[in-house]
Amino acid sequence: MGTGSSIFLTGGILSGQVMGLKEVLGKAQYWPLLLSTTCIPALLQLQLLPWFPESPRYLLIDKGDEERCKKALNQLHGLAGSDSVLEDIQREKNNLVGFKAKKPWELFADRSIRWQVITIIVLNAAQQLNGVNAMYFYADYLFRQAGIAEEKIPYATVGTGACECLTALTCGMLVESLGRKVLISGGYILMSVCCILFTVTLALQVIHPKDRSLN
């Protein structure tokens, strides 16, 4: 369920890129139709959400409704796997007895969770700086500077979206065997190396062999 959001997000980006091709709905006269297609998943979600179970943790810990919690667990995990999950939620509920939720500024003053808070802030900030938005913002420029023909750039962008979708699928399978720390560290190291290479190559692209020979 956790990795499903990333998979559907990248799948939605890829499908939007494909529909944005000139052969599909990418022409000027089709733009209203292309933009209106976003209502399809929204309407589908509105139709399906009433059939989704409420969060079992929310039902038991916040609402105290054990019967609805069991019903939701049975729907999500089946009769065989719901008992162990219910025990975990019950244990968490017992640990939260007398616990008062902290306000945002109180989190920074609590030394016991300071490193967790710093880690979350750094990861989210780095995701915004080096994530999907930055990648697709500079995609056309990078492809154009790489010498790819203007009419071929949309197909190269679709290829980028396909690679991202494939990465989301494989990471969901690898996280159980490698762990999150390895994947996060490896991903950020790889992004840092790629950003450095992009910066160096874009900065040196104006240097031509003819210029060096004349000097």
Side-chain angles (χ1 to χ4, degrees):
M1 293 294 292
T3 58
S5 59
S6 298
I7 294 173
F8 281 106
L9 174 64
T10 54
I13 293 174
L14 178 60
S15 61
Q17 291 170 342
V18 172
M19 288 192 298
L21 294 175
K22 291 183 178 180
E23 293 81 358
V24 188
L25 295 175
K27 295 182 179 180
Q29 62 268 30
Y30 296 141
W31 269 81
L33 182 61
L34 177 62
L35 293 176
S36 65
T37 56
T38 56
C39 69
I40 297 176
L43 293 175
L44 182 63
Q45 186 177 17
L46 288 175
Q47 294 294 325
L48 294 177
L49 277 178
W51 302 97
F52 277 45
E54 189 58 85
S55 168
R57 182 185 181 281
Y58 168 78
L59 291 173
L60 185 60
I61 297 178
D62 296 341
K63 291 295 186 180
D65 193 338
E66 187 172 349
E67 292 299 322
R68 290 181 63 193
C69 176
K70 291 180 179 179
K71 183 178 179 181
L73 287 173
N74 291 335
Q75 187 174 349
L76 290 171
H77 301 279
L79 294 175
S82 60
D83 292 337
S84 60
V85 181
L86 180 61
E87 292 177 1
D88 292 338
I89 300 177
Q90 287 279 12
R91 195 179 302 112
E92 182 180 357
K93 181 181 179 181
N94 296 332
N95 293 333
L96 292 176
V97 173
F99 176 79
K100 182 180 179 181
K102 293 181 179 292
K103 297 179 180 179
W105 53 85
E106 293 176 340
L107 294 175
F108 294 98
D110 191 347
R111 292 186 176 183
S112 62
I113 58 173
R114 181 168 296 175
W115 278 111
Q116 290 89 330
V117 174
I118 293 175
T119 302
I120 292 173
I121 293 175
V122 171
L123 288 176
N124 283 276
Q127 183 182 14
Q128 294 301 318
L129 294 173
N130 298 310
V132 176
N133 296 332
M135 179 179 67
Y136 288 114
F137 182 81
Y138 291 105
D140 286 359
Y141 172 76
L142 290 174
F143 291 142
R144 193 176 296 109
Q145 293 298 315
I148 298 177
E150 192 71 28
E151 64 274 9
K152 301 295 183 182
I153 289 179
Y155 303 99
T157 306
V158 171
T160 305
C163 292
E164 184 188 6
C165 189
L166 181 62
T167 302
L169 290 170
T170 54
C171 285
M173 295 183 289
L174 290 175
V175 68
E176 296 297 333
S177 58
L178 297 178
R180 290 171 175 81
K181 184 180 293 185
V182 175
L183 289 177
I184 291 175
S185 302
Y188 279 117
I189 291 173
L190 182 60
M191 282 193 298
S192 300
V193 172
C194 290
C195 288
I196 293 172
L197 292 177
F198 281 147
T199 303
V200 172
T201 52
L202 290 175
L204 299 179
Q205 66 180 349
V206 296
I207 299 178
H208 195 272
K210 291 183 179 180
D211 298 332
R212 289 198 296 265
S213 63
L214 291 175
N215 293 333

